Amino acid sequence: MIPLSRAAFQRFSRSRTSDLRPLASAFTLIELTVVMLIIATLAALLMTGASGAFERARKTQAKNDVTQIVTAVNAFYTEYGKYPVVSTITTDAFYGTLPTGVIIPTGCANAGTNDVLFNILRGIDTTNNPRAIVFLSPNAARNTTPPKGGISQSAGTVGQYMDVWGSPYAIVIDSDYNNQIVTTPSPYSDTDGSAGPSPLRLGAIAYSYGKNGKPGGGAAASSAFVSESGTAAKFKSSSDVLSWQ
């Protein structure tokens, strides 16, 4: 064996080491474009799924709210032998706010914005609830414009019970005590039974206008809401939430 000089050994070592290094690699423009498209597609799918989950959560919360409102009205009736409506109203009573272009449900008298009702049910109005019994105790609304998901503390809607999209809940009460709500199938104009039977044999109903801020589907009531599928004044295909469904 011929011994290597130190210089030759060093050259040999460097050569062997360089041979073992991995070859440099890089994304081509096409590969980078494909990766970006995959990431964008996954992000879109994630956002769509999250949006759907949020909307389902809102509808669930609204359903719980309208159910509790009706339960509170019926509990008031059980306690006092009458509904929380002033005696001067002799037809069904409507509590709520009517968006622009929306008329009061057929057969109803306007009993005021819904804070009038909830002041009674919350034990604040001791003239109409002399024992100051608390039949309902909603959370405060989130401080947004409009306020959402509770009792508003904002100017213009103070004391009103707002749904999760920012509209005051609407309530109709059988204050003529004929065991039916309004003379049409419901506050909606559906004729296929989508919005319930005709008449509604109930003492009280409550409902949310959904994400477009007015009864039924279609265009948004204002810039604070979003348009949706369906037809104005028709419950079918809308995001509205009804206590009787």
Side-chain angles (χ1 to χ4, degrees), residues 65-150:
D65 289 348
V66 295
T67 299
Q68 291 179 15
I69 291 168
V70 170
T71 299
V73 171
N74 288 328
F76 184 96
Y77 179 86
T78 299
E79 181 67 31
Y80 286 107
K82 63 177 184 177
Y83 288 116
V85 178
V86 296
S87 59
T88 54
I89 295 179
T90 56
T91 63
D92 292 342
F94 172 83
Y95 287 102
T97 301
L98 296 168
T100 302
V102 176
I103 62 174
I104 193 168
T106 304
C108 292
N110 196 334
T113 51
N114 75 24
D115 57 306
V116 176
L117 172 63
F118 292 113
N119 283 344
I120 299 173
L121 296 178
R122 295 165 65 205
I124 296 172
D125 177 355
T126 54
T127 298
N128 291 293
N129 182 357
R131 301 189 192 107
I133 299 170
V134 176
F135 295 96
L136 188 68
S137 185
N139 294 327
R142 297 195 301 277
N143 186 23
T144 55
T145 303
K148 301 175 182 178

Side-chain angles (χ1 to χ4, degrees), residues 165-228:
W165 293 280
S167 292
Y169 282 113
I171 302 96
V172 179
I173 297 176
D174 176 31
S175 49
D176 59 359
Y177 300 94
N178 66 349
N179 193 35
Q180 67 181 43
I181 295 289
V182 300
T183 57
T184 53
S186 73
Y188 295 84
S189 59
D190 302 72
T191 57
D192 61 356
S194 299
S198 175
L200 290 169
R201 298 289 183 182
L202 298 167
I205 60 173
Y207 53 105
S208 161
Y209 294 145
K211 64 184 181 181
N212 70 343
K214 63 181 183 181
S222 72
S223 59
F225 303 95
V226 295
S227 298
E228 59 174 303

